[in-house]
Amino acid sequence: MIRIHILEGKAFVWNCADVRRIREEHRIVGTLVGALARKPRQNVRLGLPLQLLPEEARLLVEKGLGTLFKNAASPPLEDDTGQDPSTLKEVAAYQKELEESYWEQLKLATEQRKIILHTLAERIAQGRAKKRQQKEEMGASPSKPADLESNVVFPRESMMVQLATERKHPGQEEVVNWHVPSPDWPYTGQQDHEIRYSVFTSLWEQGYYVTSGSKFGGDFLVYPGDPMRFHAHYVAICISKDEPFSLSDIISASRLGTNVKKTVLLCSVDQDGTAVFTSLQWSGIQ
């Protein structure tokens, strides 16, 4: 069962195996929104967690593939004297692990320095001989050469620390009931969400990959295959069947699709809940 974590109405998947399974087996793409541990100051390539659209999360839950969870309210912080002994024990174990990691990295840094010095031994010897000769010519007494292998400086601030992408002990969690609107899941019963979900489900069941279409001015982008290998064929715009759609809006939507080389789909839901699609393509004046 895929664990979907809910935070302020947003759905996240933290487990790497679940993220891969969602994409490969269930054609759910989502959006990676987390910073990479090695490159935290960039936003070109992102990592876990995977944020799901409300429609993606609901589809997984309705198909029996996932469950919505939220963290229970945390108890108020206390001083060290009032903490659970098991918590203090875990903190001590973590500090011990950090200390062992530091000395192991120091050992590896020392060995790496020895290898580099061995490679540059001839050049170092030539440089020392040149400096010794210059001092003798100036009449200064030669100084004792320093032991380069012993001068390894490895501050604790430079050590590598493993950043966990999933909590080892999740703690208390509560299952979110998506059938009832709440601050955690406010979408139930909203007309816009119900229309979007019906359209999303219909396209997904036809074998398409469906992602957010906000960057192209629509609700969804529809791909014939994995977005890593294919360009989107359609821009889906969801509207209510009873909502007026002016001619200027139709022209704007069709010209937008032409500019991005995609077909615009006007999507609505019939009285019986069936999704209805109308395609638009700008032909211009012939």
Side-chain angles (χ1 to χ4, degrees):
M1 187 69 68
I2 298 170
R3 299 175 63 84
I4 304 174
H5 298 264
I6 302 300
L7 179 62
E8 297 181 355
K10 298 179 181 179
F12 301 94
V13 179
W14 284 90
N15 186 278
C16 180
D18 287 345
V19 170
R20 182 173 181 177
R21 179 180 162 202
I22 287 172
R23 189 181 190 110
E24 294 181 352
E25 299 181 14
H26 308 306
R27 290 182 283 107
I28 299 296
V29 180
T31 305
L32 292 171
V33 296
L36 298 179
R38 290 182 177 270
K39 295 182 178 180
R41 299 183 182 275
Q42 53 85 41
N43 59 359
V44 178
R45 293 182 178 274
L46 300 178
L48 295 176
L50 180 77
Q51 182 174 349
L52 301 177
L53 294 173
E55 294 75 25
E56 293 175 325
R58 178 176 170 180
L59 177 68
L60 291 173
V61 176
E62 280 199 352
K63 298 296 182 181
L65 303 171
T67 306
L68 304 182
F69 290 93
K70 72 171 183 176
N71 292 332
S74 301
L77 297 177
E78 301 177 355
D79 55 9
D80 294 342
T81 59
Q83 285 188 359
D84 186 359
S86 61
T87 303
L88 297 177
K89 186 177 180 180
E90 291 179 0
V91 172
Y94 176 72
Q95 296 293 343
K96 181 180 178 182
E97 183 180 348
L98 284 180
E99 189 68 16
E100 293 176 351
S101 176
Y102 170 76
W103 289 107
E104 182 179 357
Q105 293 183 45
L106 176 61
K107 180 181 177 182
L108 293 174
T110 303
E111 293 176 354
Q112 184 67 23
R113 183 179 178 83
K114 290 181 179 179
I115 295 175
I116 295 175
L117 291 176
H118 179 74
T119 304
L120 303 176
E122 184 176 353
R123 294 178 59 183
I124 293 174
Q126 292 177 356
R128 285 179 172 176
K130 185 176 180 180
K131 289 183 179 179
R132 191 181 306 111
Q133 182 179 2
Q134 291 177 350
K135 289 183 178 181
E136 291 177 354
E137 293 177 354
M138 296 174 59
S141 57
S143 59
K144 183 179 179 180
D147 185 5
L148 297 179
E149 294 186 2
S150 62
N151 296 336
V152 179
V153 178
F154 188 72
R156 292 182 179 271
E157 293 78 8
S158 301
M159 66 177 292
M160 297 180 62
V161 179
Q162 182 178 1
L163 299 178
T165 58
E166 188 174 13
R167 296 178 64 182
K168 185 177 182 181
H169 304 290
Q172 295 183 354
E173 292 182 330
E174 300 176 3
V175 177
V176 176
N177 184 6
W178 61 273
H179 295 91
V180 180
S182 65
D184 300 304
W185 191 260
Y187 312 104
T188 303
Q190 294 182 2
Q191 182 182 15
D192 292 343
H193 170 70
E194 296 300 332
I195 295 174
R196 285 167 54 92
Y197 180 70
S198 297
V199 172
F200 180 91
T201 305
S202 178
L203 293 170
W204 182 84
E205 289 177 344
Q206 295 179 51
Y208 291 106
Y209 283 74
V210 186
T211 67
S212 172
S214 58
K215 64 181 179 181
F216 286 111
D219 291 286
F220 301 114
L221 289 178
V222 186
Y223 296 80
D226 194 305
M228 293 291 290
R229 301 177 58 189
F230 295 89
H231 290 289
H233 283 189
Y234 306 101
V235 179
I237 300 176
C238 301
I239 57 176
S240 174
K241 186 177 181 181
D242 301 327
E243 180 181 346
F245 203 67
S246 65
L247 180 60
S248 60
D249 292 335
I250 295 177
I251 294 175
S252 299
S254 58
R255 294 192 66 176
L256 169 66
T258 301
N259 289 337
V260 297
K261 299 181 180 179
K262 305 183 192 312
T263 300
V264 173
L265 291 180
L266 297 182
C267 313
S268 58
V269 179
D270 220 337
Q271 295 293 337
D272 58 356
T274 304
V276 180
F277 304 96
T278 302
S279 62
L280 296 178
Q281 284 185 315
W282 179 262
S283 59
I285 301 177
Q286 302 296 333

